[in-house]
């Protein structure tokens, strides 16, 4: 199996920091992942970017003028189209010890202090990229299953119109198969059990 990622599975990474040097460092660390890196210099810019395109993960600085990282994260988690995007908070080593708690409380998936180990950051981001791709694959499978289910439902309706009697063996078998498929689709929509 090839390690190449198809174009439709490429996943953008949003880098949010008010300091140019920090954005440049993040790009240097993550550039080898060969995924689109999008910069935002403020929480406001980040929100605009999130409304324009889909991201696999957000790397978010805690300390920024205006809308800080915590407020930005809270806004991300409030919107239906962005609430499931994982956030990795990044902050300086001089940060308040309560920052990590606040970060996780706002829905962050992870929290790293600067200077961070480039290998660790790349590994964490790679996990979220892989999860994003797997989620896209599952969505495609579910869409195919739903389309097949709709076709089978239409076929059953045509069969019912041609068969005589509501209890014919073929119709009972078809209804049983349709009920089983409905259960499978319902389970797929619910997602993996906890």
């Amino acid at each position: 199996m090839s390690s190449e990622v198809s174009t439709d599975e490429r996943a953008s990474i949003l880098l949010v920091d008010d300091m140019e040097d920090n954005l440049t460092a993040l790009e240097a660390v993550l550039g080898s992942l060969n995924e689109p890196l999008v910069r935002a210099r403020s929480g406001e810019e980040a929100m605009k970017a999130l409304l324009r395109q889909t991201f696999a993960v957000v790397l978010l600085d805690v300390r920024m003028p205006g809308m800080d990282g915590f407020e930005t994260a809270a806004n991300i988690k409030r919107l239906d189209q962005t609430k499931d995007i994982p956030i990795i908070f990044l902050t300086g080593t001089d940060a308040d010890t309560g920052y990590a708690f606040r970060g996780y409380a706002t829905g962050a998936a992870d929290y790293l202090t600067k200077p961070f180990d480039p290998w660790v950051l790349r590994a964490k981001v790679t996990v979220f990229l892989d999860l994003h791709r797997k989620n896209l694959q599952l969505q495609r499978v579910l869409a195919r299953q739903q389309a097949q289910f709709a076709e089978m439902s239409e076929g059953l309706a045509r069969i019912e119109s041609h068969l005589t009697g509501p209890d014919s063996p073929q119709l009972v078998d078809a209804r049983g198969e349709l009920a089983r498929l409905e259960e499978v689709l319902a389970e797929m929509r619910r997602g993996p059990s906890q």
Side-chain angles (χ1 to χ4, degrees):
M1 180 175 228
S2 172
S3 64
E4 288 291 313
V5 176
S6 70
T7 306
D8 62 333
E9 289 182 358
R10 291 195 58 178
S12 296
I13 303 165
L14 182 59
L15 312 175
V16 187
D17 200 306
D18 61 311
M19 305 291 291
E20 180 67 27
D21 290 346
N22 292 341
L23 290 170
T24 302
L26 288 171
E27 288 172 335
V29 169
L30 300 174
S32 64
L33 297 176
N34 296 318
E35 299 295 347
L37 303 174
V38 177
R39 289 173 163 228
R41 299 281 309 253
S42 67
E44 292 85 357
E45 275 187 42
M47 293 308 298
K48 288 177 185 174
L50 286 159
L51 295 174
R52 281 193 304 267
Q53 73 183 87
T54 302
F55 291 92
V57 63
V58 176
L59 302 181
L60 181 58
D61 183 36
V62 171
R63 291 183 176 183
M64 295 184 294
M67 188 189 309
D68 70 10
F70 299 121
E71 189 179 350
T72 303
N75 286 328
I76 291 169
K77 294 303 178 183
R78 236 177 283 183
L79 296 175
D80 281 342
Q81 74 186 73
T82 59
K83 68 182 179 185
D84 295 326
I85 300 173
I87 298 169
I88 299 176
F89 271 116
L90 303 172
T91 192
T93 53
D94 62 337
D96 182 317
T97 56
Y99 275 14
F101 174 77
R102 281 184 68 194
Y104 288 120
T106 60
D110 212 338
Y111 188 93
L112 294 173
T113 55
K114 301 173 194 170
F116 48 81
D117 181 328
W119 296 101
V120 170
L121 179 62
R122 214 172 6 256
K124 288 176 182 280
V125 168
T126 298
V127 167
F128 291 116
L129 292 171
D130 290 344
L131 288 172
H132 179 77
R133 285 186 199 102
K134 285 179 180 20
N135 190 32
L136 290 176
Q137 290 170 347
L138 285 173
Q139 288 173 6
R140 285 193 296 271
V141 167
L142 181 58
R144 279 195 305 270
Q145 294 293 327
Q146 288 173 325
Q148 290 173 347
F149 177 75
E151 285 178 27
M152 292 180 78
S153 294
E154 290 172 13
L156 181 59
R158 284 193 302 274
I159 291 170
E160 281 181 324
S161 69
H162 289 84
L163 293 177
T164 56
D167 296 325
S168 70
Q170 298 94 339
L171 190 55
V172 170
D173 289 347
R175 284 187 183 136
E177 183 64 17
L178 194 57
R180 187 188 68 71
L181 287 171
E182 284 176 336
E183 289 174 17
V184 169
L185 278 173
E187 188 176 316
M188 288 176 74
R189 285 186 195 105
R190 284 191 298 271
S193 57
Q194 301 298 340

